[in-house]
Structures are given as C-alpha cells and as structure tokens.
Amino acid sequence: MNVLVINAGSSSLKYQLMDPDTGIVLAKGLCERIGIDGKFTYKPQVEGKEALKAVDVSMPTHSEAIQTVLSALVDRKNGVIGSMKEIDAVGHRVVHGGEAFNQSVRITDEVMKAIEDCIPLAPLHNPANITGIRACEKVMPGVPMVAVFDTAFHQTMPAKAFTYALPYEYYKNDKVRRYGFHGTSHKYVSGRAAAMLKKPAEELKIITCHLGNGSSVTAVDGGKSVDTSMGFTPLAGLPMGTRSGDLDAGILQFLMNKYKLSIDEMLNILNKKSGVEGVSGVSSDFRDLEEAAEKGNERAALAVDMFNYGVKKLIGAYAAAMGGVDAIVFTAGVGENSVSQRLEIASGLEFMGVKMDAAANNCRGRETVISAADSKVKVLLIPTDEELMIARDTAALCK
Ligand code: ADP
C-alpha cells in the first residue's frame, strides 16, 4: 500500500509517498512559494532517479502544487510509481481538531465542516490545511483521505490540566482551554519508547521532550497524554526559536502602554521576535547559539541556559504530575542532535533517578538509550517521524 502524506501550509506544501507497513519512503519533497512564483523540490528515494531542487514551476494555487507532485511521482524517467492508481490513500496533517477529534478520521463532508469550525482556534494553520485537502479532492477524486490532528493525542488530558483559571464561560462558550500541539510526534516517540523498553505503553510513565524550532514537553501516562506545555496556541510553554513561551500577561499591558503597541504588534513580537533569538540577539538556531556561546557571547549562553532550564523544570513538574517517571525521551532537531543540551537538561536530575551515559549520549539521530545501565529512569534518543505516523493512521482507516 502507498500513502501520500501531505502537510499543507499557506504558501508551502510538504509531501512524502511511503509504504506505511515497511516505512519505506519512495519520494518526498516540497512545494514552496505557492501563489507567488512557485518552487518545486523532488527527492526520489529510489536508486537511479534524479532529484529536482527548487525548480521554477507555476503554482498559482495548491491544486497546481498537488498536480506538480503527482506528475513528478508518475514521471516516466524519474517517477517512483507507474500511475496514480498506485496511490491508495492520502493522509493530511491538520493542526487543530479542537475538542471534536481525539483521533485521526476519514475525511467526509461532516469532518470538513468540523475542521472549518476549528478555524478560529488556528486561523493561520487550519485554512491552509483545508486548502490542501480541497486541492487533493480536486486533483485525485475518489482517493480516500484521512485527517491527522496535532491536537488529537492531547485530548486525553484531564480538566485540571487543560482548564485555564479564567472565568469558566470562556471555556464553555468560546472553547478557550489548553489543547497542546506536536501530538503526532509525542504519540510516535512515546510508542517507540515503549517498544525500546519492551514494555506495554499502559505500564509506563514517559516524559517526551520535542525540542526543535518549536518545542513542547508532554507527560504520557499509560500511553495517554495527561499534560503538555503548549496551550491554547503553540505560543505557550518553553521559550522557542522566536516564540516567548509562557510569560506574565501583565507584561503585555506594560509594554503595550509604554510603546503604544497594538495587540497584533505585541503578538508579532511574542511570536516572531522573542524566544532564544530575542534574548540572544544572535539567532533562533541552537547551532548558532552554541557556537556564539563558545566564543564568549553571554546572551547566547543565557538563551541556551534559559531553554535547558525550562525543559528541566517541565521534567520535574511532569514527574510530579504522574507520580514518577520511567523514561525521558528527547526528539526533534535539538533533542535528536544536541549532545550538550541533552546532557545539560538531564544534569541535576540524579536525585530522581536520572543518570546519563556521556559516551552513549555522544550520538545523533538514531534510536539509542543514552542513560547509564544503572539509571532508574531510562533516557532515550528517538528521532521523530510524524509522516510515518500519519501514513499508518491513514492506512489503518483506509484498508
Ligand atoms: P521544526 O520545529 O521547525 O520542525 P526541527 O525539529 O527541525 O524544527 O528543529 C530545528 C532546530 O533544531 C534548528 O533550529 C536547530 O536549532 C536545531 N538543531 C538542528 N541540528 C542541531 C545540532 N546539531 N545541534 C543543536 N541544535 C540543532
């Protein structure tokens, strides 16, 4: 079976064609600058096939983008399938499923309506995801499609974890609550952690740290998300590349009054000019920050310290929330690659049974146990694979 995985943004569209049973990827790539000038990247994973890198292709809308992807996949010379009939289903990443979806679903008219109803909760993301789905419906009519939500895995959180201490009507009437994001990743790596530890997920308390450009930490108790650091929007929780993470709401009033900022200008600062980039004044990329810190840049060092400290505090909090922890998982760009940050985050947690193995930790991008053999809490490095998770959910609902 072949599943086409689509992650549609407002002007971009990532795709991957894979076999969900084996995890073998046939081709992947990216359409960029949709609606502008159109750039197409195609990376076949089959030997002897040639890649395309950011070539100019006219893509006025997402429909032409999908058409471009399909043409490349079935291309006589460099394609990886004989015809469109070999695409059995399409899995779409959808950012916000609100309270309507606690798992992936086959896309129907009713499901589309429910995804549209979630637009106010994710005004930038859901319209783009919907556009991607509509484009596929147009270009590949009759092919079954599935929506996989970033929020779904976190729908198991109890009310005490998801309710904000605001007047209750804002939850009842306006659905203001913690939703959490990166759910597909947290679900995937917590499942892999159980497999690596050879124990049923139901018997494990796991803290998953998805540390990338956007970062979130989740408490997974018995295979279910019971708390997570992102909130109503992906702005909450840890300081991120350019996002502030949690802060005292009183700061907004102070800064908006002092600098005569509108709420949109303020939110733009919190989303795009804050985080480790805002603090360091150097970069949002942790590689640049580590390099600058090594050369003595104190603000770069402070930004990395703040981030690591934030992750450490969440680990402590979630161990307390679950009444213990069996495993801590590191994943995503920083979690998979930064040897020093993993070590720094885990240091000082010996009191709760975390003991790292520095040699094992000196590794990147592959599933590894990085704690010492006698560490009570296992620490694991697990590369995330959201596409595989989407493909598997899609296959399960379309077989
Ligand atoms: P996104 O949230 O955009 O999916 P990723 O999970 O790809 O992000 O993470 C990207 C981030 O990972 C980069 O901004 C960079 O800070 C970090 N990163 C990647 N490689 C390394 C590395 N070798 N050391 C430290 N950080 C790294």
Side-chain angles (χ1 to χ4, degrees):
M1 181 175 192
N2 291 324
V3 173
L4 180 62
V5 176
I6 298 286
N7 182 353
S10 55
S11 68
S12 71
L13 184 148
K14 287 190 205 148
Y15 65 92
Q16 228 177 79
L17 182 68
M18 68 156 79
D19 177 342
D21 299 321
T22 59
I24 292 173
V25 177
L26 296 173
K28 59 184 172 180
L30 176 65
C31 301
E32 290 168 287
R33 299 177 63 84
I34 300 169
I36 311 167
D37 47 4
K39 300 268 179 222
F40 179 60
T41 295
Y42 172 67
K43 296 185 202 162
Q45 308 290 298
V46 178
E47 215 170 307
K49 305 285 178 180
E50 280 167 37
L52 298 171
K53 193 162 176 240
V55 296
D56 292 319
V57 180
S58 168
M59 298 176 197
T61 72
H62 285 67
S63 296
E64 291 82 13
I66 299 278
Q67 191 60 64
T68 306
V69 172
L70 295 178
S71 302
L73 293 173
V74 302
D75 182 65
R76 279 192 157 220
K77 186 155 168 270
N78 291 313
V80 291
I81 50 175
S83 80
M84 270 195 26
K85 288 197 189 107
E86 290 175 49
I87 301 176
D88 300 289
V90 184
H92 291 272
R93 176 191 182 210
V94 179
V95 167
H96 221 305
E99 290 188 323
F101 300 103
N102 59 8
Q103 57 189 12
S104 304
V105 282
R106 270 288 279 270
I107 296 175
T108 61
D109 289 346
E110 274 160 27
V111 166
M112 285 304 278
K113 170 81 181 54
I115 297 173
E116 278 165 7
D117 289 344
C118 294
I119 289 177
L121 300 173
L124 297 180
H125 293 102
N126 272 32
N129 303 150
I130 290 168
T131 307
I133 296 170
R134 295 261 184 248
C136 282
E137 280 174 343
K138 189 170 149 199
V139 179
M140 342 169 44
V143 179
M145 307 214 192
V146 166
V148 179
F149 303 92
D150 272 26
T151 49
F153 182 56
H154 300 301
Q155 278 297 303
T156 45
M157 280 191 288
K160 66 182 176 187
F162 75 65
T163 309
Y164 286 116
L166 288 168
Y168 197 68
E169 303 81 74
Y170 291 133
Y171 168 56
K172 277 294 224 222
N173 302 336
D174 306 303
K175 303 206 160 97
V176 175
R177 52 158 285 177
R178 181 188 302 280
Y179 289 99
F181 298 87
H182 293 141
T184 310
S185 175
H186 289 292
K187 184 178 178 188
Y188 174 77
V189 298
S190 59
R192 286 302 309 150
M196 282 173 77
L197 298 174
K198 298 190 173 58
K199 283 200 177 151
E202 293 71 34
E203 289 173 18
L204 290 168
K205 297 178 192 299
I206 302 174
I207 298 173
T208 49
C209 307
H210 178 109
L211 313 177
N213 198 19
S215 296
S216 66
V217 178
T218 296
V220 185
D221 195 350
K224 296 195 164 98
S225 169
V226 293
D227 207 343
T228 192
S229 61
M230 281 182 167
F232 179 64
T233 72
L235 177 57
L238 290 164
M240 305 179 213
T242 61
R243 281 174 254 173
S244 64
D246 288 344
L247 46 76
D248 177 349
I251 296 171
L252 274 67
Q253 185 191 35
F254 176 81
L255 289 178
M256 288 170 72
N257 283 340
K258 179 151 191 197
Y259 294 106
K260 307 275 176 284
L261 300 170
S262 69
I263 188 66
D264 287 348
E265 287 167 332
M266 188 71 242
L267 262 290
N268 191 46
I269 292 171
L270 298 184
N271 270 307
K272 304 219 171 109
K273 297 191 163 44
S274 300
V276 292
E277 179 169 299
V279 172
S280 68
V282 172
S283 169
S284 63
D285 191 306
F286 282 87
R287 286 163 290 199
D288 300 338
L289 295 176
E290 284 189 26
E291 202 182 310
E294 271 166 31
K295 288 185 185 145
N297 185 317
E298 286 177 14
R299 273 169 54 191
L302 171 64
V304 179
D305 273 357
M306 285 170 61
F307 177 82
N308 293 342
Y309 177 61
V311 179
K312 192 194 301 270
K313 280 204 297 186
L314 282 169
I315 291 173
Y318 289 166
M322 293 191 287
V325 54
D326 299 300
I328 298 167
V329 179
F330 286 103
T331 194
V334 178
E336 290 168 30
N337 293 295
S338 179
V339 173
S340 61
Q341 286 187 258
R342 287 194 301 258
L343 212 52
E344 182 53 38
I345 290 164
S347 79
L349 298 181
E350 291 81 5
F351 77 94
M352 55 185 265
V354 176
K355 192 169 158 195
M356 291 287 274
D357 178 333
N361 182 50
N362 195 10
C363 140
R364 290 197 162 90
R366 65 182 159 82
E367 288 188 356
T368 325
V369 179
I370 56 175
S371 49
D374 61 345
S375 182
K376 192 167 120 325
V377 178
K378 301 293 171 224
V379 187
L380 309 172
L381 191 179
I382 303 181
T384 194
D385 197 340
E386 287 154 291
E387 287 78 13
L388 177 59
M389 198 78 212
I390 293 172
R392 281 193 189 147
D393 275 12
T394 303
L397 287 163
C398 294
K399 267 180 181 161

